[in-house]
Amino acid sequence: MRHLRELTLIVCLFCVIPAAAAAEQDTRAVSDTALTAKVKSALAADSAVQATDIEVETRDGIVQLSGFVESEDAVSAAVMRARAVDGVDEVRNDLVVRNEDRPAQQPVSDTVIAARVRSSLGNVEMDDESDVNVEVSAGVVQLSGFVTSVEEKARAGDAASAVPGVRDVENNIALTEEHERAPQE
């Protein structure tokens, strides 16, 4: 009888622990979505920030700002606004000041380049957890978001570099936190 109780207790623990972990993960996902919305709202409220040109990604309380802005002041204002949002643990600043000097040999529009890069990324093998954003200014592609391995980050950068019309690639993709801390072999 005693062994039956112990066995029952062990079985219950194996059922409860994964359920609790899944609930915590769901709460963090909702929390990250809410943080992203709060940061976007804070950026939109600041006239010094061109919020429409800034991508905001959040993973485990870490906010990543990416995209192109008009000045260093806009970068500083965006980072300051994001850090001021309750619940933000860290802000990764991957914003780039826009350079409008497009050489004459660069006839491909940024919109076309962005579409081609996104299409190319669709052919890259990535984990379901991975999320990559693409921004383009004057032929310079900025990749941001989160992936689960260094290899995925490299494949995304290589795919973007191979697209016709791309002058340069700024690969600001971050590794998900649990994979950053994983021991390297």
Side-chain angles (χ1 to χ4, degrees):
M1 186 70 169
R2 179 174 175 230
H3 292 295
L4 182 59
R5 275 190 251 161
E6 289 174 353
L7 180 62
T8 303
L9 179 62
I10 291 171
V11 169
C12 287
L13 284 175
F14 280 112
C15 293
V16 170
I17 291 172
E24 182 180 330
Q25 191 173 29
D26 289 345
T27 301
R28 187 47 134 171
V30 170
S31 178
D32 285 343
T33 303
L35 273 178
T36 297
K38 287 180 183 178
V39 170
K40 285 181 177 181
S41 178
L43 295 176
D46 190 334
S47 61
V49 178
Q50 302 91 19
T52 58
D53 295 336
I54 297 176
E55 284 289 323
V56 179
E57 288 287 323
T58 307
R59 182 77 51 104
D60 298 327
I62 300 171
V63 173
Q64 181 184 44
L65 302 177
S66 61
F68 296 90
V69 294
E70 299 300 323
S71 67
E72 287 296 330
D73 290 340
V75 171
S76 297
V79 171
M80 183 181 73
R81 283 288 185 172
R83 284 187 178 140
V85 173
D86 284 338
V88 172
D89 296 332
E90 179 183 333
V91 175
R92 286 185 49 119
N93 175 18
D94 293 323
L95 294 169
V96 176
V97 177
R98 190 182 316 270
N99 179 1
E100 292 299 331
D101 298 335
R102 183 186 294 264
Q105 73 270 18
Q106 192 65 33
V108 180
S109 80
D110 291 337
T111 305
V112 171
I113 292 172
R116 289 177 179 169
V117 169
R118 286 184 188 104
S119 176
S120 180
L121 288 174
N123 297 323
V124 173
E125 183 180 333
M126 290 196 194
D127 190 88
D128 291 340
E129 298 273 323
S130 297
D131 182 22
V132 177
N133 295 310
V134 177
E135 296 289 327
V136 181
S137 180
V140 177
V141 174
Q142 184 186 54
L143 301 176
S144 62
F146 295 90
V147 296
T148 59
S149 72
V150 174
E151 293 80 13
E152 285 181 2
K153 178 178 178 173
R155 285 194 298 263
D158 291 345
S161 295
V163 171
V166 171
R167 287 184 28 214
D168 192 17
V169 175
E170 294 185 7
N171 193 341
N172 297 322
I173 299 172
L175 295 178
T176 55
E177 192 170 315
E178 59 270 12
H179 292 91
E180 284 180 339
R181 294 183 182 154
Q184 298 295 322
E185 294 180 21

